[in-house]
Amino acid sequence: MLLGDLTWTDLDPASGAAARTLVVPVGSVEQHGPHLPLDTDVRISSAVASGVHDRDPSLVLAPALAYGAAGEHEGFPGTVSLGHEALRAVLVEYGRSVCRWASRLVLLNGHGGNVTTMVEAVTLLRYEGRDVAWTPCIPPPAVTAGIPLDAHAGRIETSLMLALTPHLVRLGAAAPGATGRLRDLLEPMRTGGVVSVSPNGVLGDPSGASADEGRRLLDGTVTAVADAVRRWEPDASTGRLA
């Protein structure tokens, strides 16, 4: 069920509607190198959410929350960041409103820069007694074996986008960026942003990406997230689904 297609009576217990879990993809509009579209995170989290909904049609799928905390990418045109405080307020108020009628809320996060904000918002909502959790939209280790891991706009995201919207992937412009260990890049990125370590905005290497690989990565991610939603075991300290 798609939230935007329903009426209020479809979700009203007084009309016989069952209690529902709302699934919300959360992304970011930010640079993804010269070869991937700015809304890559939104498209990936939305595709995962759609796949999870297909596995369990009793879930209600909401429109994506497209903007996130992406200040580290603001050295590149096109990036739009709400920042931590604004995103936290949006997620908290969203959860408070939704939980007036939904039995559960799960946020599917597609952007690493949202994680700290996600944890704080979900932790507060759970403290207030609301059944809210979150999970990242990242492929599990079982399906990334043999693929060089990357942090941003590398092979994994490029493969996923080749599977989802190949017409938006500019493979001719794809090139490696900063390929060092993420932990070694974090400190300079905190002060100078991604542009200070990678002039093209890529953290990784998109070489070798393919649509077939992307479909396998997407299927593995959907399976992992669907299983986590079904089990519903939020971590006590972070609210992340196990």
Side-chain angles (χ1 to χ4, degrees), residues 47-121:
V48 173
S50 181
V52 171
H53 176 260
D54 289 344
R55 303 282 179 96
D56 183 358
S58 71
L59 302 170
V60 178
L61 178 58
L65 294 174
Y67 296 96
E72 68 275 18
H73 295 287
E74 286 186 318
F76 298 89
T79 297
V80 181
S81 175
L82 294 183
H84 168 73
E85 294 300 328
L87 178 61
R88 181 181 182 274
V90 167
L91 294 176
V92 168
E93 293 305 323
Y94 190 103
R96 287 171 176 166
S97 181
V98 163
C99 289
R100 291 179 179 274
W101 54 266
S103 59
R104 285 175 171 169
L105 168 65
V106 57
L107 304 169
L108 305 191
N109 181 44
H111 169 53
N114 293 343
V115 169
T116 298
T117 315
M118 191 80 56
V119 170
E120 289 188 12

Side-chain angles (χ1 to χ4, degrees), residues 127-213:
Y127 174 78
E128 293 176 345
R130 296 170 175 87
D131 201 2
V132 179
W134 73 279
T135 185
C137 297
I138 55 176
V143 296
T144 56
I147 302 174
L149 297 181
D150 51 65
H152 185 73
R155 178 167 161 178
I156 290 175
E157 285 190 315
T158 303
S159 288
L160 285 165
M161 290 302 289
L162 283 170
L164 294 172
T165 53
H167 62 288
L168 294 179
V169 179
R170 305 181 186 185
L171 279 180
T179 56
R181 296 179 300 179
L182 180 59
R183 63 185 181 184
D184 296 330
L185 301 174
L186 286 177
E187 190 57 38
M189 283 197 297
R190 287 191 183 99
T191 56
V194 172
V195 72
S196 68
V197 300
S198 176
N200 72 350
V202 177
L203 302 176
D205 185 353
S207 302
S210 71
D212 285 343
E213 182 173 89

